[in-house]
């Protein structure tokens, strides 16, 4: 008895402390970034103004006035939204087929898809730029960014959906077949409702990845299709680092995602731990 | 309503043959039970009839239509799964109505059929719940209800009782028997429990390694098993086998060089004064079960056998006893072919 009580007191203290420590370690850079965004560029680098400083909105106003912030933001929203939609549009049927009608080669296909993520992006930078700029003429278009973001995320999305679909007992699908459901009805009325949590967290994760993607969005755009990543990148100006400005831009770029994640927290946790809880 | 005919039906997964070549006729309205040990292919055969598993060769006819290429829902069959396989995100009502909705049945007819089935199964009060909020037995009823509303020509059950506890299993077994009486529909039922098979079936199909060992009514299989496998599979506790070294002279007189195995069911032994009878054995364990007792014995040679007796007081543990049997209820087999010799 005594041992049990001790253990529960221990875990009552230990786990929250650990959780908070981890949370703070992860949260600190974001906190710092937000804090810095309210400092002038001059204050930002001065140690004496680390915590104590006069807050200013100068960086944000500057960002909106001089940097055309809303255009970058709009591009981010458009490309992330369309890329996520398109990825799911392709990913759901693909994962469905592999989960419910597996063939001998399904495992190989899954591995192959994942292996495409092992290719270093830098290795294809030159061909990609050359191809899109000089041959396809797609450089700096929304279309190109949407396609690139989709292709980058497709393997992960298919893997995730595949795992969630696999959780659905085969018999339920077969019961649907006995009830005479069409393929589309099976996806709509049985698979998606049962994998809803998983689907939501996959979509959310995909959206976050798209939003934060910087390697390609920075390199394959100039103005028209440039996203917030490009804006952040652009503020690493050659004249030196403007930490205040950079932080403001970064905060504005990260903000929506944090808010979105906050609202979808329940979905996310449920989706990501679906298998474990069951 | 419809009967079924299976002709040379076979199934293999790549190189492994799971169902060898099955010929079977099931009459309209018959209750047929597939029994056999685990892995013998019962579920596979049932799923082939359902259309969930492709058949490698042969033909399956339901009613007067060859259904090899017909989709499951178009075969006029309903299936009750071992795991129930209810749609977890739908209410009981929707679970039962789903199939009818797919078939574009008018709404009020769906409603009438669902309520009717719910009435029969006494689940009318549960229609608004989701499966999560039901007990195992209630889920089972919903699964059966989902099968009933489609008014199939043939019901297929794959071990529907195996997830229920013992008391509920007996009760549900009786309900399934009643349901069959009431609907008069052809039913095919898979189980590895021979008690279920005996009590429910008009006709039992005993399977082993993808082959049919014997087809017959429960009493036929009990009285005239065609081989040693069926003899041991039907009846509980299972039939005892003796060869000439186990038997007394009187016992040896019942067999010969070809029919060299004597089969005696535990319930057919009669305790007789020591020295007479067909077999002698030493009881080493008595399991009293109230109405009767199971006595585990050993022949002089050490082969174990079981005697079922209603008066265990007569059993003297550790001392040699003699048992007799009415020759009319004994069975003779050829050890080599395992077949029964009449
Ligand atoms: N997809 C498959 N691939 C290969 N072999 C399979 C496959 N499905 C089933 N089998 C094999 O077919 C045989 C028959 O399986 P089946 O499920 O029909 O047995 P069963 O009689 O229903 O057994 P149980 O009483 O355990 O349910 C088994 O040996 C099984 O291993
Ligand atoms: Mg089975």
């Amino acid at each position: 008895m005594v041992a049990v009580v001790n253990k529960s007191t221990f875990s009552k203290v230990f786990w929250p402390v650990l959780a908070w420590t981890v949370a703070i370690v992860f949260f600190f850079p974001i906190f710092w970034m937000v804090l810095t965004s309210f400092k002038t560029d001059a204050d930002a680098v001065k140690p004496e103004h680390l915590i104590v400083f006069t807050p200013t909105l100068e960086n944000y106003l500057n960002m909106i006035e001089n940097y055309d912030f809303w255009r970058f933001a709009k591009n981010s929203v458009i490309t992330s939204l369309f890329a996520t939609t398109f990825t799911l549009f392709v990913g759901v049927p693909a994962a469905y087929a592999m989960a419910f009608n597996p063939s001998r080669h399904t495992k190989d296909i899954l591995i192959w898809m994942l292996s495409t993520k092992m290719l270093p992006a830098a290795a294809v930078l030159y061909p990609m730029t050359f191809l899109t700029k000089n041959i396809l003429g797609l450089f700096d278009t929304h279309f190109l960014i949407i396609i690139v973001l989709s292709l980058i995320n497709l393997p992960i999305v298919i893997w995730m959906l595949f795992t969630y679909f696999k959780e659905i007992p085969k018999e339920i699908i077969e019961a649907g077949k006995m009830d005479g459901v069409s393929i589309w009805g099976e996806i709509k009325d049985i698979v998606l409702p049962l994998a809803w949590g998983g689907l939501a967290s996959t979509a959310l994760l995909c959206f976050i990845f798209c939003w934060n993607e910087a390697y390609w969005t920075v390199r394959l755009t100039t103005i028209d299709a440039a996203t917030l990543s490009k804006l952040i990148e652009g503020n690493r100006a050659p004249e030196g680092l403007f930490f205040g400005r950079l932080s403001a831009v970064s905060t504005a770029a990260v903000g929506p995602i944090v808010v979105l994640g906050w609202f979808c927290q329940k979905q996310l946790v449920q989706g990501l731990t679906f298998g474990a809880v069951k | 309503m419809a009967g079924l005919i299976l002709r040379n039906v076979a199934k293999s997964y790549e190189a492994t043959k799971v169902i060898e070549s099955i010929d079977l006729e099931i009459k309209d309205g018959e209750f047929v039970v597939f029994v056999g040990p685990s892995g013998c292919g019962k579920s596979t055969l049932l799923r082939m009839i359902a259309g969930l598993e492709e058949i490698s060769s042969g033909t399956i006819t339901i009613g007067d239509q060859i259904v090899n290429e017909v989709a499951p829902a178009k075969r006029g069959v309903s299936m009750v799964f071992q795991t129930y396989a209810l749609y977890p995100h739908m209410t009981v009502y929707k679970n039962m109505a789903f199939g009818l909705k797919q078939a574009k049945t008018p709404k009020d007819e769906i409603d009438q059929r669902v309520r009717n089935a719910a009435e029969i199964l006494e689940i009318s009060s549960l229609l608004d719940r989701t499966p999560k909020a039901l007990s195992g037995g209630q889920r089972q009823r919903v699964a059966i209800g989902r099968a009933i509303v489609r008014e199939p020509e043939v019901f297929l059950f794959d071990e529907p009782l195996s997830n229920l506890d013992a008391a509920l299993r007996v009760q549900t077994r009786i309900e399934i028997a009643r349901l069959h009486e009431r609907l008069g529909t052809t039913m095919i039922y898979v189980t590895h429990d021979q008690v279920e098979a005996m009590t429910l079936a008009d006709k039992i199909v005993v399977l082993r390694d993808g082959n049919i060992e014997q087809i017959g009514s429960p009493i036929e299989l009990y009285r005239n098993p065609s081989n040693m496998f069926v003899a041991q599979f039907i009846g509980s506790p299972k039939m005892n086998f003796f060869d000439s070294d186990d038997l007394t002279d009187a016992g040896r007189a019942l067999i010969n060089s070809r029919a060299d195995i004597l089969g005696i069911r535990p319930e057919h032994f009669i305790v007789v004064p020591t020295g007479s009878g067909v077999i002698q054995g030493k009881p080493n364990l008595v399991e009293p079960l109230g109405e009767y007792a199971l006595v585990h014995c050993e022949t002089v040679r050490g082969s174990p056998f079981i005697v079922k007796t209603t008066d265990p007081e007569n059993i003297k543990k550790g001392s040699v006893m003699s048992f007799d049997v009415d020759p009319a209820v004994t069975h003779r087999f050829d050890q080599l072919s395992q077949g029964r010799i009449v």
Side-chain angles (χ1 to χ4, degrees):
Chain A
M1 259 338 268
V2 176
V4 174
V5 170
N6 277 346
K7 197 179 161 207
S8 80
T9 340
F10 168 76
S11 50
K12 248 186 214 155
V13 177
F14 178 74
W15 292 114
V17 167
L18 185 71
W20 277 103
T21 314
V22 171
I24 287 168
V25 166
F26 274 91
F27 183 68
F28 184 73
I30 297 177
F31 170 73
W32 190 317
M33 177 183 78
V34 175
L35 210 61
T36 312
S37 72
F38 292 106
K39 299 176 189 173
T40 60
D41 281 332
D43 279 357
V45 286
K46 288 190 190 136
E48 63 267 33
H49 291 304
L50 195 64
I51 299 292
V52 190
F53 63 97
T54 334
T56 166
L57 284 176
E58 181 190 316
N59 293 319
Y60 286 95
L61 296 173
N62 182 35
M63 171 180 89
I64 289 169
E65 274 166 32
N66 302 338
Y67 288 135
D68 210 354
F69 172 79
W70 295 115
R71 203 191 39 174
F72 290 101
K74 198 181 80 196
N75 284 342
S76 272
V77 172
I78 289 174
T79 52
S80 302
L81 218 51
F82 275 92
T84 304
T85 313
F86 182 72
T87 308
L88 290 178
F89 200 74
V90 176
V92 167
Y96 168 86
M98 286 193 289
F100 296 118
N101 297 303
S103 78
R104 252 178 310 157
H105 305 295
T106 299
K107 280 243 161 65
D108 304 329
I109 294 175
L110 279 167
I111 298 293
W112 168 74
M113 283 194 301
L114 207 62
S115 74
T116 60
K117 302 276 321 171
M118 296 168 193
L119 181 73
V124 287
L125 176 60
Y126 176 70
M128 270 297 276
T129 318
F130 182 78
L131 199 67
T132 54
K133 218 176 205 160
N134 303 352
I135 296 184
L136 297 173
L138 290 172
F139 191 79
D140 196 22
T141 59
H142 288 123
F143 181 77
L144 174 66
I145 297 303
I146 290 168
I147 293 298
V148 167
L149 290 179
S150 299
L151 293 181
I152 289 174
N153 286 312
L154 206 49
I156 305 265
V157 163
I158 291 179
W159 264 81
M160 280 182 76
L161 290 174
F162 176 78
T163 337
Y164 291 123
F165 288 173
K166 268 277 175 222
E167 299 267 329
I168 299 173
K170 193 170 120 253
E171 284 84 3
I172 292 182
I173 302 296
E174 290 179 341
K177 288 210 165 72
M178 297 300 298
D179 271 341
V181 75
S182 62
I183 286 193
W184 173 236
E186 185 177 312
I187 295 184
K188 182 172 68 80
D189 292 333
I190 301 175
V191 173
L192 290 188
L194 289 179
W196 183 242
L199 189 76
S201 47
T202 307
L204 189 65
L205 214 62
C206 180
F207 187 85
I208 293 173
F209 285 162
C210 290
W211 187 275
N212 292 344
E213 209 288 327
Y215 189 84
W216 292 110
T217 46
V218 166
R219 285 167 180 77
L220 295 179
T221 60
T222 43
I223 301 172
D224 292 346
T227 64
L228 287 170
S229 304
K230 183 86 177 175
L231 179 61
I232 298 174
E233 176 72 16
N235 273 277
R236 287 181 43 222
E239 314 94 83
L241 284 175
F242 300 102
F243 275 119
R245 256 191 263 167
L246 191 61
S247 298
V249 172
S250 303
T251 306
V254 172
I257 275 303
V258 173
V259 173
L260 187 70
W262 188 271
F263 276 116
C264 302
Q265 207 176 27
K266 212 178 123 201
Q267 285 296 336
L268 253 182
V269 171
Q270 190 196 340
L272 294 174
T273 55
F274 185 53
V277 180
K278 219 181 110 204
Chain B
M1 293 220 269
L4 279 94
I5 301 169
L6 275 62
R7 284 268 167 269
N8 298 318
V9 169
K11 172 82 189 177
S12 17
Y13 291 104
E14 271 138 53
T16 13
K17 272 197 173 157
V18 177
I19 301 286
E20 297 253 336
S21 171
I22 284 198
D23 279 299
L24 177 65
E25 259 175 63
I26 296 173
K27 288 198 212 68
D28 185 13
E30 222 170 8
F31 199 123
V32 176
V33 175
F34 296 168
V35 279
S38 187
C40 70
K42 308 179 292 290
S43 298
T44 307
L45 191 57
L46 195 75
R47 292 163 52 79
M48 286 159 77
I49 295 171
L52 295 171
E53 208 81 66
E54 257 177 61
I55 58 179
S56 308
S57 64
T59 55
I60 297 179
T61 312
I62 300 179
D64 42 23
Q65 186 192 14
I66 293 180
V67 294
N68 288 22
E69 304 293 329
V70 178
K74 298 259 156 64
R75 294 185 177 201
V77 300
S78 281
M79 182 146 167
V80 176
F81 293 84
Q82 181 173 359
T83 52
Y84 316 143
L86 299 174
Y87 309 119
H89 56 297
M90 297 184 199
T91 62
V92 169
Y93 186 98
K94 285 196 176 145
N95 261 283
M96 287 165 71
F98 191 70
L100 296 176
K101 232 174 94 187
Q102 304 308 314
K104 307 250 185 314
T105 315
K107 232 181 171 163
D108 33 332
E109 194 187 334
I110 294 183
D111 193 65
Q112 191 220 324
R113 283 212 225 168
V114 169
R115 293 192 190 278
N116 197 9
E119 190 101 355
I120 296 175
L121 295 163
E122 295 169 17
I123 48 173
S124 300
S125 60
L126 307 175
L127 288 177
D128 294 328
R129 297 207 198 158
T130 54
K132 205 168 43 183
L134 300 178
S135 72
Q138 289 167 334
R139 280 177 207 174
Q140 180 60 67
R141 280 156 191 270
V142 176
I144 294 174
R146 185 170 65 178
I148 290 178
V149 291
R150 298 184 50 225
E151 297 178 356
E153 317 261 3
V154 181
F155 280 101
L156 307 174
F157 295 92
D158 192 356
E159 307 208 21
L161 308 184
S162 55
N163 285 338
L164 303 177
D165 68 42
L168 208 52
R169 207 176 305 156
V170 174
Q171 192 196 333
T172 316
R173 195 177 78 208
I174 293 165
E175 276 165 21
I176 290 177
R178 291 234 167 87
L179 195 69
H180 179 242
E181 206 142 278
R182 176 171 185 157
L183 302 174
T185 316
T186 314
M187 292 188 174
I188 305 178
Y189 187 105
V190 163
T191 181
H192 57 241
D193 182 315
Q194 57 97 21
V195 179
E196 274 173 39
M198 295 294 278
T199 51
L200 286 169
D202 296 324
K203 186 151 98 185
I204 295 180
V205 178
V206 183
L207 292 162
R208 176 167 66 155
D209 298 336
N211 283 306
I212 294 182
E213 291 287 314
Q214 192 174 359
I215 304 174
S217 71
I219 210 69
E220 263 170 55
L221 296 195
Y222 178 78
R223 291 210 182 123
N224 305 312
S226 66
N227 57 47
M228 292 171 76
F229 176 79
V230 177
Q232 282 211 321
F233 201 79
I234 302 290
S236 170
K238 60 187 185 190
M239 185 186 285
N240 301 295
F241 293 135
F242 304 103
D243 64 19
S244 63
D245 292 344
D246 295 311
L247 298 165
T248 65
D249 287 341
R252 266 190 283 271
L254 294 174
I255 55 175
N256 55 49
S257 60
R258 196 160 82 89
D260 50 0
I261 299 279
L262 185 67
I264 304 174
R265 295 201 180 274
E267 55 271 35
H268 291 149
F269 283 114
I270 308 158
V271 180
V272 289
T274 314
S276 54
V278 295
I279 189 138
Q280 292 197 324
K282 229 190 257 177
N284 51 34
L285 177 73
V286 179
E287 290 182 294
L289 292 157
E291 180 200 349
Y292 58 86
L294 298 181
V295 185
H296 296 253
C297 306
E298 243 175 36
T299 65
V300 270
R301 220 172 118 224
S303 327
F305 65 101
I306 295 180
V307 175
K308 191 171 169 180
T309 174
T310 46
D311 49 352
E313 287 79 9
N314 282 348
I315 303 298
K316 291 177 276 304
K317 251 204 280 188
S319 58
V320 176
M321 294 182 67
S322 288
F323 303 94
D324 204 1
V325 65
D326 174 3
V329 296
T330 58
H331 307 262
R332 271 155 296 273
F333 301 94
D334 170 13
Q335 178 146 41
L336 206 65
S337 71
Q338 304 269 302
R340 175 183 157 99
I341 311 279
V342 190

